[in-house]
Amino acid sequence: MRRDAITALHSRAMIDRRVVLASALYLGGLGLTPAAFASARLRPAVFRRDPFLLGVASGYPHPNGMVLWTRLIADLLAPDGGVGPDDIEVGFEIALDPGFRQTVQTGLTRAEAIFAHSVHLEVRGLEPGRSYYYRFRAGEHRSAVGRTWTCPAAGQPQLPLRIGVASCQHYEQGYYHAYRHMLETGVDLIAHLGDYIYEGNTAEPVRRHDRGECQSLADYRLRYAWYRSDPTLREAHAACPWVLTHDDHEVDNDYASEQAENPGEQPGFVARRAAAYQAYYEHMPLPRDSLLAGGGLQLYRSQTVGDLLGLHILDTRQYRSPQPCPTPPRQGGSRVFVDTCPTWNDAARSMLGETQERWLQQQLGQSRARWNLLAQSVVFSLVDEDPGPRQLHWNDSWAGYPAARLRLLEAVRDSGVANPVILGGDIHAFIAADQRLEANDGNSPIIASELVTTSISSGPPPQKVIDAYNRDTLNVHHADGSHRGYLWLQLSQERLEARMIGFDSVREPTAVARTLANLSIEADRRGLQKL
Ligand code: FE
Ligand code: CA
């Protein structure tokens, strides 16, 4: 790059840095002006041990910036993370090269003790459509270097975009070979669809983390820190930006809105959920406005990448109606014969909640992107699990919310949105299936297709469930529950390519990856093709 261009970038960065600082400090809440902040007393950043144990991350890129994340923690098990009770000043550097010779922004931000000394730096003022490197400094310590990028500006030419889709990564049930493979193959973006942590333990662990079911903010914080102590997971966060949504295990198995899994867990559940949401925010490269006052988490949002991708990230857990007709004494997920459940088709029952449904409708109507991916957590396909004449469904997935499911399909159809594809997780299996307005009617039009990613490490589903998917030869192109792994996507103007990358086992420290299926969707043509 020419020197005058670098100088121009520098001077623009200086202006934007002030904006970054002003937005990054909760100035209103602290009652500080920028000048007062400069002189505010912060704990002198002196650490005996590396405070960057959890690495760095980036997320939610836009044409001029992205979110950069880190958390200061020098001791996983210490209540204060081994960095003390005060806010800490953290320096950041953003450069064009991994050696930081061409620095484009530097500045200071603040790791706030109330948010477990996490940093969510909302960078602005970068150039569209290029790669950047970043790192943090606290005291004498420097973080690892992360690589990230800005989205192309509208109309800017764009290379095909490679996305790694992940879900369900129980630390105790296996190693993160999927992320290792993403790092080796190269992905531009990682989309995580939920079950980033699990709140409990497992019977026959491959490796152990702390014991017990998470209840308090301290419990959830420790669980996230433990997960992020996995070096492969840390590397994956440093390698490219992520976008995320949650599912149930970030809080409690099968919870629905403010309803806990079990009646016995109900007292105090709203506070428990708020603690879990806060810990999630503290450990993810989420924009600062994601953590809401009053215990909510703003996860649903639209992310565009140039003209190529509109990624509509949904929250299927926080606003949903309770699962219909659970088997007592459970409150959460059950297999339900539809003919036994009077409320099954109740139109008032919602998966997204009214506000998010309306928002999604707007996003679909407005999107000008070539591809529109609905990134969400649970299986959308409607497949009868009973081989006989009765209909059997898992009531925690979209199947248990049939009216809401139909509303979504109709919204996609009515919006005329280009090339809609639903991404899902939760079931710990690969599924590729077309979605018709009337699932079992071959004359009913295909509105969208669904690609469900298997689990990174969490155990397999019952084979009879996968057998049911494979019986649906009208819509299902591939279903496989016997591999852990991830979904690799490549989007171009012409087509979406999907590879199901799997491992026979994740119970050993190394494993060989296999491509289990290759699928594609041609732009402007509905329906999956298996190659
Ligand atoms: Fe899971
Ligand atoms: Ca539970």
Side-chain angles (χ1 to χ4, degrees):
M1 182 185 265
R2 296 202 340 266
R3 180 149 296 278
D4 54 348
I6 296 169
T7 312
L9 269 179
H10 267 288
S11 57
R12 205 169 69 208
M14 291 305 288
I15 295 163
D16 286 297
R17 206 182 82 187
R18 266 173 256 142
V19 178
V20 168
L21 279 172
S23 69
L25 290 178
Y26 282 149
L27 291 176
L30 291 168
L32 293 178
T33 63
F37 171 71
S39 62
R41 218 159 50 82
L42 287 176
R43 184 169 179 273
V46 179
F47 307 102
R48 276 177 299 150
R49 285 191 282 175
D50 178 11
F52 291 107
L53 287 186
L54 304 188
V56 300
S58 72
Y60 302 88
H62 55 83
N64 303 113
M66 71 294 290
V67 178
L68 301 183
W69 174 95
T70 192
R71 179 188 166 196
L72 299 185
I73 179 170
D75 180 349
L76 289 195
L77 299 174
D80 65 358
V83 297
D86 301 326
D87 291 359
I88 298 167
E89 190 179 76
V90 179
F92 66 89
E93 292 173 84
I94 304 169
L96 298 175
D97 63 305
F100 290 83
R101 282 180 296 275
Q102 300 183 335
T103 305
V104 294
Q105 277 193 33
T106 61
L108 295 174
T109 186
R110 185 176 202 148
E112 288 164 295
I114 52 162
F115 298 122
H117 296 102
S118 61
V119 169
H120 298 76
L121 180 69
E122 297 192 350
V123 179
R124 309 250 178 269
L126 301 178
E127 288 203 332
R130 60 184 312 170
S131 291
Y132 291 94
Y133 298 85
Y134 63 95
R135 66 185 171 192
F136 296 95
R137 179 183 44 74
E140 297 303 303
H141 294 272
R142 267 185 179 152
S143 72
V145 173
R147 184 182 168 280
T148 189
W149 45 265
T150 49
C151 296
Q156 198 175 345
Q158 204 170 345
L159 292 169
L161 184 73
R162 302 163 302 170
I163 307 175
V165 186
S167 80
C168 297
Q169 51 187 38
H170 203 307
Y171 178 94
E172 294 191 332
Q173 290 178 1
Y175 293 97
Y176 296 156
H177 302 319
Y179 290 123
R180 174 61 49 206
H181 193 263
M182 288 188 213
L183 290 163
E184 287 165 3
T185 315
V187 290
D188 304 306
L189 181 73
I190 293 176
H192 200 290
L193 304 183
D195 289 359
Y196 188 102
I197 60 158
Y198 282 71
E199 79 281 25
N201 297 104
T202 203
E204 291 173 7
V206 170
R207 50 181 181 168
R208 274 206 191 285
H209 55 53
D210 58 302
R211 309 298 295 156
E213 184 165 322
C214 294
Q215 302 287 341
S216 68
L217 181 55
D219 295 343
Y220 286 106
R221 280 174 173 168
L222 175 58
R223 191 60 54 88
Y224 281 101
W226 208 302
Y227 271 62
R228 200 65 69 73
S229 71
D230 180 285
T232 310
L233 181 58
R234 273 205 312 278
E235 266 187 73
H237 275 287
C240 68
W242 287 44
V243 295
L244 301 117
T245 188
H246 60 183
D247 195 19
D248 53 338
H249 287 288
E250 282 86 351
V251 181
D252 183 24
N253 180 47
D254 287 350
Y255 85 96
S257 188
E258 296 187 341
Q259 179 184 280
E261 175 186 21
N262 302 305
E265 290 177 293
Q266 198 57 52
F269 181 72
V270 173
R272 177 183 173 191
R273 193 187 82 157
Y277 284 1
Q278 182 177 332
Y280 183 80
Y281 166 77
E282 289 169 349
H283 291 85
M284 300 302 162
L286 286 164
R288 296 183 74 99
D289 62 7
S290 306
L291 188 65
L292 304 175
L297 201 51
Q298 181 66 50
L299 287 180
Y300 68 83
R301 55 180 77 233
S302 279
Q303 161 80 48
T304 57
V305 180
D307 306 316
L308 190 61
L309 172 62
L311 188 60
H312 311 285
I313 304 160
L314 307 184
D315 183 336
T316 55
R317 196 52 68 176
Q318 192 175 175
Y319 316 103
R320 62 157 73 193
S321 311
Q323 298 87 347
C325 306
T327 313
R330 292 176 56 79
Q331 295 189 150
S334 301
R335 299 216 126 71
V336 176
F337 280 106
V338 173
D339 57 21
T340 65
C341 183
T343 55
W344 190 262
N345 288 303
D346 189 344
R349 295 184 52 254
S350 177
M351 180 63 106
L352 301 175
E354 220 176 295
T355 311
Q356 186 180 188
E357 267 190 40
R358 261 202 316 275
W359 166 87
L360 178 61
Q361 229 168 343
Q362 272 170 9
Q363 297 305 309
L364 295 173
Q366 288 167 8
S367 176
R368 295 288 162 266
R370 184 79 165 145
W371 294 93
N372 286 276
L373 306 186
L374 275 60
Q376 55 90 44
S377 304
V378 290
V379 172
F380 192 82
S381 297
L382 189 66
V383 166
D384 179 9
E385 293 183 19
D386 181 54
R390 298 177 76 193
Q391 278 183 54
L392 180 68
H393 287 293
W394 177 242
N395 68 354
D396 187 72
S397 69
W398 281 92
Y401 297 76
R405 184 178 177 280
L406 188 61
R407 283 199 297 275
L408 193 148
L409 281 175
E410 286 170 345
V412 168
R413 179 197 61 189
D414 296 345
S415 70
V417 73
N419 300 305
V421 180
I422 300 167
L423 304 178
D426 176 52
I427 194 174
H428 306 179
F430 285 120
I431 297 166
D434 294 328
Q435 308 298 312
R436 298 170 194 274
L437 221 43
E438 290 293 332
N440 298 319
D441 179 358
N443 293 317
S444 182
I446 296 171
I447 305 295
S449 295
E450 180 179 47
L451 292 163
V452 178
T453 190
T454 191
S455 54
I456 295 277
S457 56
S458 308
Q463 184 55 40
K464 64 178 179 189
V465 172
I466 303 308
D467 292 343
Y469 281 89
N470 280 314
R471 280 196 300 271
D472 179 354
T473 51
L474 176 62
N475 299 307
V476 176
H477 296 260
H478 190 84
D480 167 16
S482 54
H483 296 87
R484 309 304 109 229
Y486 74 103
L487 187 64
W488 181 93
L489 301 179
Q490 178 164 279
L491 300 176
S492 67
Q493 289 298 319
E494 295 77 34
R495 70 185 57 81
L496 176 152
E497 292 168 65
R499 286 183 205 153
M500 292 169 167
I501 311 284
F503 303 90
D504 294 338
S505 169
V506 290
R507 297 186 67 87
E508 285 78 44
T510 59
V512 178
R514 292 198 286 137
T515 301
L516 303 165
N518 277 294
L519 299 118
S520 71
I521 302 171
E522 297 296 308
D524 302 325
R525 289 229 311 264
R526 290 289 185 269
L528 282 154
Q529 289 174 291
K530 194 169 177 181
L531 309 175

